[in-house]
Amino acid sequence: MSTTEIDRQWTTRLRKRVEGKLPPEKLLPDTQPAYVASWIYVFGVATLSSLILVIATGTLLAIRGPIWWHQSSIGHFVNSLHLWSVEIFFFSMIIHLWGKFFMGAWRGGRQLTWMTGVVTFVVSIVTGLTGYVSQTNFDSQWISTQAKDGINATGGGAFFNVLNFGQMLMWHIVLLPIAAVILTALHVLMVRVKGVVPPYEDEKKVAQ
Amino acid sequence: MNWLGSIINLDGYGHYLHWHFILVSVANLIVVGLMVITFVAALFLPFPGKGRRKENR
């Protein structure tokens, strides 16, 4: 095979494109810009860390099932860890959102970073709702009977029935986590490709 | 967590604030308040080791 033929292969072209956009030193940098040394930049990583805990505890709950998480002490503990890591996940994500909104984090060609974050936020809310209605307790019964009215009012109830436990559980433990993890990975990759948005006053200095 | 239950009575109806079309539970309002406090603190609290950092733009 000639060099030209090798260069034309889709694997070669894709590798070169990925290497150009995201070289290893950009993917896993040694240092960060000076302006990142602020607590407001911590909440993205806090959200990511709590997401890892959410997935880990959710995996344990999926392995052992509802009897375990309702009736055993360790099941109660893991169930509580799952709930509280979700609380910290949303708490951090909303502060991250506020921080990035007031920074205008879509500046400098970072529109995709912003939009992947927005879509991840929406997907996380739906994941949270399907989680609440999958608890198999009175709380989940109450939430699902209330939520059905809201969703039916949008016309979405025919496709997304919050009273259908099987459907909600599958969305909660399969479809939505896959979507959330893929979107989060894309979001983080976009941050690495475009870099962390500088403060307004540093923007001109960075551009020079 | 029994000690917490002895301070705050969690065994009862939730408390809600209702103003025109706005209806929010006190529990949610406390969480929102904590988020605002954390946000403001994150803006103004000094970050450890800020002076020692190398720049990499």
Side-chain angles (χ1 to χ4, degrees):
Chain A
M1 199 182 277
S2 70
T3 319
T4 326
E5 279 176 324
I6 289 173
D7 284 345
R8 278 214 314 265
Q9 285 186 134
W10 72 268
T11 48
T12 314
R13 282 186 282 127
L14 181 66
R15 190 186 67 243
K16 283 185 175 169
R17 201 169 164 192
V18 170
E19 280 172 357
K21 284 255 182 206
L22 203 63
E25 63 273 16
K26 229 175 168 183
L27 186 65
L28 290 170
D30 303 316
T31 54
Q32 287 290 333
Y35 53 78
V36 172
S38 160
W39 285 111
I40 199 65
Y41 285 95
V42 166
F43 291 93
V45 170
T47 310
L48 196 60
S49 310
S50 43
L51 177 65
I52 292 168
L53 200 56
V54 170
I55 301 278
T57 51
T59 305
L60 280 174
L61 293 175
I63 290 169
R64 300 305 299 268
I67 305 282
W68 179 72
W69 80 60
H70 280 310
Q71 293 185 356
S72 73
S73 302
I74 187 81
H76 277 148
F77 178 68
V78 175
N79 196 22
S80 298
L81 273 182
H82 191 61
L83 171 79
W84 286 104
S85 47
V86 168
E87 298 282 341
I88 296 168
F89 173 72
F90 276 102
F91 194 98
S92 319
M93 185 162 44
I94 288 168
I95 296 173
H96 179 60
L97 169 70
W98 288 344
K100 295 302 159 187
F101 176 76
F102 288 112
M103 279 178 210
W106 49 83
R107 285 177 293 136
R110 294 178 177 83
Q111 301 91 327
L112 260 182
T113 316
W114 173 260
M115 284 317 298
T116 47
V118 169
V119 178
T120 311
F121 181 48
V122 174
V123 167
S124 303
I125 291 170
V126 184
T127 315
L129 170 69
T130 53
Y132 278 117
V133 301
S134 302
Q135 294 175 96
T136 61
N137 58 14
F138 287 129
D139 193 28
S140 59
Q141 285 185 13
W142 170 259
I143 294 167
S144 55
T145 48
Q146 299 302 303
K148 80 175 190 325
D149 295 335
I151 291 172
N152 286 347
T154 68
F159 311 98
F160 190 81
N161 181 3
V162 283
L163 295 176
N164 183 344
F165 172 72
Q167 186 190 17
M168 290 304 105
L169 186 67
M170 289 297 118
W171 275 80
H172 183 69
I173 68 171
V174 181
L175 302 175
L176 292 166
I178 289 173
V181 168
I182 290 174
L183 284 164
T184 306
L186 282 174
H187 184 68
V188 173
L189 279 178
M190 290 309 298
V191 174
R192 294 282 29 105
V193 170
K194 292 286 179 184
V196 179
V197 69
Y200 282 101
E201 61 266 30
D202 281 12
E203 194 172 31
K204 281 181 187 161
K205 278 191 264 172
V206 173
Q208 284 163 4
Chain B
M1 292 299 278
N2 286 341
W3 62 272
L4 188 64
S6 61
I7 299 169
I8 307 163
N9 182 14
L10 300 170
D11 188 18
Y13 295 110
H15 299 282
Y16 286 81
L17 296 177
H18 195 178
W19 185 68
H20 293 284
F21 61 91
I22 296 167
L23 179 68
V24 62
S25 71
V26 172
N28 280 343
L29 200 62
I30 290 171
V31 174
V32 172
L34 285 174
M35 284 194 295
V36 172
I37 291 168
T38 311
F39 179 67
V40 174
L43 292 179
F44 294 107
L45 282 182
F47 195 76
K50 191 173 181 176
R52 285 184 278 111
R53 297 199 155 225
K54 274 199 288 180
E55 281 204 32
N56 175 29
R57 287 174 180 167

